[in-house]
Amino acid sequence: RVMGANGSPVVLMTAFNEDKSIINERELSISADISGHVEDMILGADSTVLVLGSTSHDTLPIVLTRMDTFGSVIWSRSYDILVDQREDLRGIHLTELANSNIVIVGGLASSERESRSGFVITTDRNGIALKTEMISSNATNREMYPSGLVTVEDTLVVMAIKLSNGSDVITALMKYN
């Protein structure tokens, strides 16, 4: 994140050559009144760039953008799965499956209950949401928060998660199919 020309924070994407000279530079703008930041970025199978961001806006908390290698936006989508607006929703990681579907994993933290849980959004290759669901651990009396994401084989996703019972925090792996 950098300060934009008007003094508001913007996300700056810079592409470099191997010798570290700049190929191009783009400001990624969501809206003039929304501050945001990049959570994850991957190179897609078709050589486009997928950028996952989170924003401070109540109705646009998660943003997914597909750009070409020059930083030109091909499409941009926003997602909101909130039950109420007191929740802090954050996209954390994304991956692209062999069938070109995109999987976003994130966390939901309630300021009211201090509890944490996770969610998964599955989209088609154009970012259109196919499925959204909350995820939880089989462990009883444990809050769960995703902290990483890896694609295994073609459609199996393995998440690193943090489990907490209030005083102890352990890291675990969760299979998501």
Side-chain angles (χ1 to χ4, degrees), residues 27-118:
E27 284 186 10
L28 305 180
S29 176
I30 300 160
S31 173
D33 61 337
I34 300 173
S35 65
H37 55 279
V38 172
E39 301 288 355
D40 198 5
M41 182 171 76
I42 62 170
L43 185 63
D46 59 357
S47 295
T48 58
V49 179
L50 286 166
V51 178
L52 176 65
S54 292
T55 75
S56 61
H57 198 279
D58 285 342
T59 59
L60 301 170
I62 299 173
V63 177
L64 180 64
T65 303
R66 186 181 293 270
M67 296 178 287
D68 64 20
T69 53
F70 297 104
S72 298
V73 173
I74 298 169
W75 52 256
S76 188
R77 309 274 186 256
S78 62
Y79 309 96
D80 183 5
I81 64 166
L82 298 180
V83 176
D84 63 47
Q85 294 186 358
R86 289 175 297 234
E87 305 285 348
D88 177 24
L89 183 66
R90 194 173 129 217
I92 298 173
H93 294 287
L94 77 151
T95 189
E96 188 172 29
L97 302 177
N99 64 4
S100 296
N101 284 354
I102 301 163
V103 177
I104 299 168
V105 64
L108 189 72
S110 171
S111 57
E112 196 171 279
R113 298 183 312 267
E114 294 299 323
S115 67
R116 294 187 174 272
S117 58

